[in-house]
Amino acid sequence: MGALAVPFLLRIAATGRPELRARTLRLVAEIGRCQHIGDGSREGLLRVAEDPAVVEGSTVCPVDWTIQAARQAVTDDLHLLLPLLCDPDPEVRTTIAYALAAATGEQPHLSTALHARLATEDDAVARMSLILAIAQRAREQHDSHAPGWARDLWSDPGQPPEIRIGAGLAWLCLVTDPAPDELRTLLTDPAIRRYDQLLHPVPWLTWIDTTGFGLRSCIDDMLTTHGARTAPEDPWAASLSG
């Protein structure tokens, strides 16, 4: 009955011992969504609840009412959570984005807060978490502006690598179009491999591969979706297949 504990956990996170804050927020976030273990696909990465048509799968998923109750508790206590976007600990800022992504409804003030934090965030892991949180909420709300926002970020060479990578994954989750050559080139650049360990703490990626290669697995999954497989001669693809 984890959902019943969520309001208490949120108050512990907001007002309790700072060293417990990140772990408490992560627990809240995971009560409020399925853990699609190993599913880094375009359909799976940002999915919150299990498809009711799916009876079996690689998920650790509480029943739907439990997920919805936890998400409603997060929504009801947004006033306690939003200040944590400015917490001095980047791990807290990373996990609060993960938790806030579970909120229900449009909540325009939440969207504004996530975008505002992204504009000032200087930690790579927190940046990517904010992007995925924004994209997860946009996907659920069918926000028609979100794909353009994500494309503007990943196509801008002036953005930091983690923002371009995160926005590239977000764009692939928000649309069904094949990956453009420009995005494929970005995500299959061999230099991206060095970001595997750096971005491993991003909560969405941790569940893809707990050994630290969630980003690599996620990129490969997304670029092979809908039959759009990476070219065999691509060194990134070769490293994955090896």
PDB file of all heavy atoms in Angstrom, residues 29-56:
ATOM      1  N   ALA A  29       8.418   8.691  -6.584  1.00  0.00           N
ATOM      2  CA  ALA A  29       8.281   8.635  -8.042  1.00  0.00           C
ATOM      3  C   ALA A  29       8.054   7.212  -8.519  1.00  0.00           C
ATOM      4  O   ALA A  29       7.274   6.973  -9.450  1.00  0.00           O
ATOM      5  CB  ALA A  29       9.523   9.228  -8.704  1.00  0.00           C
ATOM      6  N   GLU A  30       8.707   6.254  -7.902  1.00  0.00           N
ATOM      7  CA  GLU A  30       8.599   4.881  -8.365  1.00  0.00           C
ATOM      8  C   GLU A  30       7.307   4.213  -7.915  1.00  0.00           C
ATOM      9  O   GLU A  30       6.818   3.291  -8.568  1.00  0.00           O
ATOM     10  CB  GLU A  30       9.844   4.101  -7.935  1.00  0.00           C
ATOM     11  CG  GLU A  30      11.065   4.602  -8.712  1.00  0.00           C
ATOM     12  CD  GLU A  30      12.387   4.045  -8.249  1.00  0.00           C
ATOM     13  OE1 GLU A  30      12.392   3.307  -7.236  1.00  0.00           O
ATOM     14  OE2 GLU A  30      13.408   4.357  -8.885  1.00  0.00           O
ATOM     15  N   ILE A  31       6.717   4.698  -6.827  1.00  0.00           N
ATOM     16  CA  ILE A  31       5.389   4.226  -6.450  1.00  0.00           C
ATOM     17  C   ILE A  31       4.367   4.706  -7.484  1.00  0.00           C
ATOM     18  O   ILE A  31       3.388   4.018  -7.777  1.00  0.00           O
ATOM     19  CB  ILE A  31       4.998   4.736  -5.044  1.00  0.00           C
ATOM     20  CG1 ILE A  31       5.894   4.089  -3.977  1.00  0.00           C
ATOM     21  CG2 ILE A  31       3.534   4.443  -4.736  1.00  0.00           C
ATOM     22  CD1 ILE A  31       5.731   4.682  -2.592  1.00  0.00           C
ATOM     23  N   GLY A  32       4.636   5.866  -8.081  1.00  0.00           N
ATOM     24  CA  GLY A  32       3.692   6.484  -9.001  1.00  0.00           C
ATOM     25  C   GLY A  32       3.905   6.160 -10.471  1.00  0.00           C
ATOM     26  O   GLY A  32       3.391   6.879 -11.334  1.00  0.00           O
ATOM     27  N   ARG A  33       4.645   5.124 -10.791  1.00  0.00           N
ATOM     28  CA  ARG A  33       4.798   4.731 -12.194  1.00  0.00           C
ATOM     29  C   ARG A  33       5.265   3.280 -12.283  1.00  0.00           C
ATOM     30  O   ARG A  33       5.874   2.758 -11.358  1.00  0.00           O
ATOM     31  CB  ARG A  33       5.784   5.644 -12.931  1.00  0.00           C
ATOM     32  CG  ARG A  33       7.240   5.370 -12.663  1.00  0.00           C
ATOM     33  CD  ARG A  33       8.169   6.455 -13.182  1.00  0.00           C
ATOM     34  NE  ARG A  33       8.007   6.764 -14.585  1.00  0.00           N
ATOM     35  CZ  ARG A  33       8.765   6.270 -15.565  1.00  0.00           C
ATOM     36  NH1 ARG A  33       9.695   5.381 -15.283  1.00  0.00           N
ATOM     37  NH2 ARG A  33       8.578   6.644 -16.807  1.00  0.00           N
ATOM     38  N   CYS A  34       4.971   2.643 -13.404  1.00  0.00           N
ATOM     39  CA  CYS A  34       5.518   1.314 -13.656  1.00  0.00           C
ATOM     40  C   CYS A  34       7.016   1.439 -13.923  1.00  0.00           C
ATOM     41  O   CYS A  34       7.472   2.440 -14.473  1.00  0.00           O
ATOM     42  CB  CYS A  34       4.870   0.690 -14.891  1.00  0.00           C
ATOM     43  SG  CYS A  34       3.238   0.041 -14.595  1.00  0.00           S
ATOM     44  N   GLN A  35       7.750   0.418 -13.569  1.00  0.00           N
ATOM     45  CA  GLN A  35       9.159   0.376 -13.907  1.00  0.00           C
ATOM     46  C   GLN A  35       9.319  -0.585 -15.082  1.00  0.00           C
ATOM     47  O   GLN A  35       9.250  -1.796 -14.914  1.00  0.00           O
ATOM     48  CB  GLN A  35       9.984  -0.077 -12.705  1.00  0.00           C
ATOM     49  CG  GLN A  35       9.825   0.839 -11.493  1.00  0.00           C
ATOM     50  CD  GLN A  35      10.074   2.293 -11.797  1.00  0.00           C
ATOM     51  OE1 GLN A  35      10.962   2.613 -12.576  1.00  0.00           O
ATOM     52  NE2 GLN A  35       9.290   3.181 -11.220  1.00  0.00           N
ATOM     53  N   HIS A  36       9.468  -0.020 -16.247  1.00  0.00           N
ATOM     54  CA  HIS A  36       9.561  -0.835 -17.455  1.00  0.00           C
ATOM     55  C   HIS A  36      11.016  -1.266 -17.632  1.00  0.00           C
ATOM     56  O   HIS A  36      11.760  -0.714 -18.438  1.00  0.00           O
ATOM     57  CB  HIS A  36       9.047  -0.042 -18.654  1.00  0.00           C
ATOM     58  CG  HIS A  36       7.622   0.374 -18.488  1.00  0.00           C
ATOM     59  ND1 HIS A  36       6.575  -0.445 -18.813  1.00  0.00           N
ATOM     60  CD2 HIS A  36       7.072   1.500 -17.985  1.00  0.00           C
ATOM     61  CE1 HIS A  36       5.431   0.166 -18.538  1.00  0.00           C
ATOM     62  NE2 HIS A  36       5.710   1.343 -18.031  1.00  0.00           N
ATOM     63  N   ILE A  37      11.400  -2.252 -16.852  1.00  0.00           N
ATOM     64  CA  ILE A  37      12.796  -2.655 -16.772  1.00  0.00           C
ATOM     65  C   ILE A  37      13.298  -3.118 -18.135  1.00  0.00           C
ATOM     66  O   ILE A  37      12.727  -4.010 -18.757  1.00  0.00           O
ATOM     67  CB  ILE A  37      12.973  -3.767 -15.735  1.00  0.00           C
ATOM     68  CG1 ILE A  37      12.545  -3.243 -14.357  1.00  0.00           C
ATOM     69  CG2 ILE A  37      14.420  -4.259 -15.700  1.00  0.00           C
ATOM     70  CD1 ILE A  37      12.509  -4.307 -13.288  1.00  0.00           C
ATOM     71  N   GLY A  38      14.359  -2.463 -18.598  1.00  0.00           N
ATOM     72  CA  GLY A  38      14.950  -2.845 -19.871  1.00  0.00           C
ATOM     73  C   GLY A  38      14.255  -2.288 -21.087  1.00  0.00           C
ATOM     74  O   GLY A  38      14.720  -2.494 -22.207  1.00  0.00           O
ATOM     75  N   ASP A  39      13.153  -1.562 -20.905  1.00  0.00           N
ATOM     76  CA  ASP A  39      12.403  -1.032 -22.049  1.00  0.00           C
ATOM     77  C   ASP A  39      12.801   0.417 -22.298  1.00  0.00           C
ATOM     78  O   ASP A  39      12.274   1.340 -21.689  1.00  0.00           O
ATOM     79  CB  ASP A  39      10.904  -1.142 -21.804  1.00  0.00           C
ATOM     80  CG  ASP A  39      10.073  -0.729 -23.018  1.00  0.00           C
ATOM     81  OD1 ASP A  39      10.673  -0.295 -24.032  1.00  0.00           O
ATOM     82  OD2 ASP A  39       8.841  -0.848 -22.967  1.00  0.00           O
ATOM     83  N   GLY A  40      13.757   0.600 -23.189  1.00  0.00           N
ATOM     84  CA  GLY A  40      14.187   1.939 -23.560  1.00  0.00           C
ATOM     85  C   GLY A  40      13.638   2.356 -24.898  1.00  0.00           C
ATOM     86  O   GLY A  40      14.205   3.217 -25.564  1.00  0.00           O
ATOM     87  N   SER A  41      12.526   1.762 -25.304  1.00  0.00           N
ATOM     88  CA  SER A  41      11.941   2.066 -26.611  1.00  0.00           C
ATOM     89  C   SER A  41      11.244   3.418 -26.604  1.00  0.00           C
ATOM     90  O   SER A  41      11.007   4.014 -25.548  1.00  0.00           O
ATOM     91  CB  SER A  41      10.935   0.980 -27.001  1.00  0.00           C
ATOM     92  OG  SER A  41       9.806   1.037 -26.143  1.00  0.00           O
ATOM     93  N   ARG A  42      10.886   3.864 -27.788  1.00  0.00           N
ATOM     94  CA  ARG A  42      10.177   5.126 -27.910  1.00  0.00           C
ATOM     95  C   ARG A  42       8.821   5.065 -27.216  1.00  0.00           C
ATOM     96  O   ARG A  42       8.333   6.066 -26.699  1.00  0.00           O
ATOM     97  CB  ARG A  42      10.010   5.488 -29.397  1.00  0.00           C
ATOM     98  CG  ARG A  42      11.343   5.727 -30.086  1.00  0.00           C
ATOM     99  CD  ARG A  42      11.218   5.857 -31.591  1.00  0.00           C
ATOM    100  NE  ARG A  42      10.548   7.082 -31.993  1.00  0.00           N
ATOM    101  CZ  ARG A  42      10.505   7.539 -33.250  1.00  0.00           C
ATOM    102  NH1 ARG A  42      11.089   6.842 -34.222  1.00  0.00           N
ATOM    103  NH2 ARG A  42       9.885   8.658 -33.545  1.00  0.00           N
ATOM    104  N   GLU A  43       8.204   3.905 -27.194  1.00  0.00           N
ATOM    105  CA  GLU A  43       6.920   3.741 -26.535  1.00  0.00           C
ATOM    106  C   GLU A  43       7.065   3.554 -25.030  1.00  0.00           C
ATOM    107  O   GLU A  43       6.155   3.902 -24.265  1.00  0.00           O
ATOM    108  CB  GLU A  43       6.173   2.528 -27.104  1.00  0.00           C
ATOM    109  CG  GLU A  43       5.769   2.651 -28.564  1.00  0.00           C
ATOM    110  CD  GLU A  43       6.914   2.315 -29.537  1.00  0.00           C
ATOM    111  OE1 GLU A  43       7.994   1.882 -29.044  1.00  0.00           O
ATOM    112  OE2 GLU A  43       6.740   2.486 -30.748  1.00  0.00           O
ATOM    113  N   GLY A  44       8.191   3.006 -24.589  1.00  0.00           N
ATOM    114  CA  GLY A  44       8.313   2.593 -23.198  1.00  0.00           C
ATOM    115  C   GLY A  44       8.985   3.559 -22.258  1.00  0.00           C
ATOM    116  O   GLY A  44       8.676   3.579 -21.068  1.00  0.00           O
ATOM    117  N   LEU A  45       9.933   4.369 -22.741  1.00  0.00           N
ATOM    118  CA  LEU A  45      10.771   5.151 -21.829  1.00  0.00           C
ATOM    119  C   LEU A  45       9.956   6.087 -20.946  1.00  0.00           C
ATOM    120  O   LEU A  45      10.211   6.192 -19.744  1.00  0.00           O
ATOM    121  CB  LEU A  45      11.813   5.960 -22.615  1.00  0.00           C
ATOM    122  CG  LEU A  45      12.790   6.755 -21.738  1.00  0.00           C
ATOM    123  CD1 LEU A  45      13.691   5.823 -20.942  1.00  0.00           C
ATOM    124  CD2 LEU A  45      13.631   7.712 -22.581  1.00  0.00           C
ATOM    125  N   LEU A  46       8.987   6.773 -21.519  1.00  0.00           N
ATOM    126  CA  LEU A  46       8.223   7.767 -20.768  1.00  0.00           C
ATOM    127  C   LEU A  46       6.842   7.266 -20.355  1.00  0.00           C
ATOM    128  O   LEU A  46       6.014   8.052 -19.890  1.00  0.00           O
ATOM    129  CB  LEU A  46       8.075   9.056 -21.594  1.00  0.00           C
ATOM    130  CG  LEU A  46       9.379   9.729 -22.033  1.00  0.00           C
ATOM    131  CD1 LEU A  46       9.080  11.012 -22.797  1.00  0.00           C
ATOM    132  CD2 LEU A  46      10.287  10.010 -20.845  1.00  0.00           C
ATOM    133  N   ARG A  47       6.586   5.976 -20.501  1.00  0.00           N
ATOM    134  CA  ARG A  47       5.276   5.439 -20.158  1.00  0.00           C
ATOM    135  C   ARG A  47       5.151   5.352 -18.642  1.00  0.00           C
ATOM    136  O   ARG A  47       6.025   4.826 -17.961  1.00  0.00           O
ATOM    137  CB  ARG A  47       5.101   4.052 -20.782  1.00  0.00           C
ATOM    138  CG  ARG A  47       3.696   3.493 -20.650  1.00  0.00           C
ATOM    139  CD  ARG A  47       3.534   2.255 -21.514  1.00  0.00           C
ATOM    140  NE  ARG A  47       4.394   1.169 -21.068  1.00  0.00           N
ATOM    141  CZ  ARG A  47       4.910   0.253 -21.878  1.00  0.00           C
ATOM    142  NH1 ARG A  47       4.713   0.313 -23.183  1.00  0.00           N
ATOM    143  NH2 ARG A  47       5.658  -0.722 -21.389  1.00  0.00           N
ATOM    144  N   VAL A  48       4.047   5.847 -18.120  1.00  0.00           N
ATOM    145  CA  VAL A  48       3.846   5.895 -16.678  1.00  0.00           C
ATOM    146  C   VAL A  48       3.153   4.636 -16.177  1.00  0.00           C
ATOM    147  O   VAL A  48       3.582   4.021 -15.213  1.00  0.00           O
ATOM    148  CB  VAL A  48       3.033   7.140 -16.279  1.00  0.00           C
ATOM    149  CG1 VAL A  48       2.785   7.162 -14.772  1.00  0.00           C
ATOM    150  CG2 VAL A  48       3.754   8.404 -16.716  1.00  0.00           C
ATOM    151  N   ALA A  49       2.056   4.238 -16.830  1.00  0.00           N
ATOM    152  CA  ALA A  49       1.272   3.096 -16.389  1.00  0.00           C
ATOM    153  C   ALA A  49       1.334   1.991 -17.424  1.00  0.00           C
ATOM    154  O   ALA A  49       1.662   2.219 -18.592  1.00  0.00           O
ATOM    155  CB  ALA A  49      -0.176   3.507 -16.139  1.00  0.00           C
ATOM    156  N   GLU A  50       1.009   0.788 -17.000  1.00  0.00           N
ATOM    157  CA  GLU A  50       1.005  -0.353 -17.900  1.00  0.00           C
ATOM    158  C   GLU A  50      -0.190  -0.289 -18.834  1.00  0.00           C
ATOM    159  O   GLU A  50      -1.269   0.157 -18.445  1.00  0.00           O
ATOM    160  CB  GLU A  50       0.967  -1.655 -17.092  1.00  0.00           C
ATOM    161  CG  GLU A  50       1.066  -2.916 -17.911  1.00  0.00           C
ATOM    162  CD  GLU A  50       2.370  -3.008 -18.678  1.00  0.00           C
ATOM    163  OE1 GLU A  50       2.447  -2.390 -19.765  1.00  0.00           O
ATOM    164  OE2 GLU A  50       3.297  -3.666 -18.209  1.00  0.00           O
ATOM    165  N   ASP A  51       0.016  -0.682 -20.068  1.00  0.00           N
ATOM    166  CA  ASP A  51      -1.080  -0.811 -21.007  1.00  0.00           C
ATOM    167  C   ASP A  51      -2.015  -1.906 -20.497  1.00  0.00           C
ATOM    168  O   ASP A  51      -1.587  -3.044 -20.289  1.00  0.00           O
ATOM    169  CB  ASP A  51      -0.529  -1.187 -22.393  1.00  0.00           C
ATOM    170  CG  ASP A  51      -1.606  -1.264 -23.459  1.00  0.00           C
ATOM    171  OD1 ASP A  51      -2.788  -1.403 -23.107  1.00  0.00           O
ATOM    172  OD2 ASP A  51      -1.248  -1.200 -24.650  1.00  0.00           O
ATOM    173  N   PRO A  52      -3.307  -1.583 -20.271  1.00  0.00           N
ATOM    174  CA  PRO A  52      -4.201  -2.607 -19.719  1.00  0.00           C
ATOM    175  C   PRO A  52      -4.352  -3.826 -20.612  1.00  0.00           C
ATOM    176  O   PRO A  52      -4.750  -4.891 -20.154  1.00  0.00           O
ATOM    177  CB  PRO A  52      -5.538  -1.862 -19.580  1.00  0.00           C
ATOM    178  CG  PRO A  52      -5.430  -0.674 -20.481  1.00  0.00           C
ATOM    179  CD  PRO A  52      -3.976  -0.308 -20.488  1.00  0.00           C
ATOM    180  N   ALA A  53      -3.997  -3.686 -21.896  1.00  0.00           N
ATOM    181  CA  ALA A  53      -4.102  -4.827 -22.804  1.00  0.00           C
ATOM    182  C   ALA A  53      -2.939  -5.798 -22.635  1.00  0.00           C
ATOM    183  O   ALA A  53      -2.970  -6.906 -23.137  1.00  0.00           O
ATOM    184  CB  ALA A  53      -4.153  -4.338 -24.258  1.00  0.00           C
ATOM    185  N   VAL A  54      -1.898  -5.336 -21.914  1.00  0.00           N
ATOM    186  CA  VAL A  54      -0.716  -6.171 -21.732  1.00  0.00           C
ATOM    187  C   VAL A  54      -0.836  -6.927 -20.417  1.00  0.00           C
ATOM    188  O   VAL A  54      -0.924  -6.336 -19.347  1.00  0.00           O
ATOM    189  CB  VAL A  54       0.571  -5.311 -21.726  1.00  0.00           C
ATOM    190  CG1 VAL A  54       1.783  -6.183 -21.459  1.00  0.00           C
ATOM    191  CG2 VAL A  54       0.707  -4.583 -23.054  1.00  0.00           C
ATOM    192  N   VAL A  55      -0.831  -8.225 -20.497  1.00  0.00           N
ATOM    193  CA  VAL A  55      -0.963  -9.045 -19.297  1.00  0.00           C
ATOM    194  C   VAL A  55       0.400  -9.390 -18.733  1.00  0.00           C
ATOM    195  O   VAL A  55       0.613  -9.402 -17.533  1.00  0.00           O
ATOM    196  CB  VAL A  55      -1.747 -10.342 -19.619  1.00  0.00           C
ATOM    197  CG1 VAL A  55      -1.830 -11.225 -18.386  1.00  0.00           C
ATOM    198  CG2 VAL A  55      -3.137  -9.994 -20.128  1.00  0.00           C
ATOM    199  N   GLU A  56       1.358  -9.660 -19.615  1.00  0.00           N
ATOM    200  CA  GLU A  56       2.691 -10.004 -19.176  1.00  0.00           C
ATOM    201  C   GLU A  56       3.683  -9.043 -19.803  1.00  0.00           C
ATOM    202  O   GLU A  56       3.468  -8.516 -20.885  1.00  0.00           O
ATOM    203  CB  GLU A  56       3.038 -11.438 -19.592  1.00  0.00           C
ATOM    204  CG  GLU A  56       2.141 -12.493 -18.947  1.00  0.00           C
ATOM    205  CD  GLU A  56       2.528 -13.892 -19.356  1.00  0.00           C
ATOM    206  OE1 GLU A  56       3.449 -14.020 -20.182  1.00  0.00           O
ATOM    207  OE2 GLU A  56       1.924 -14.845 -18.858  1.00  0.00           O
TER     208      GLU A  56
END
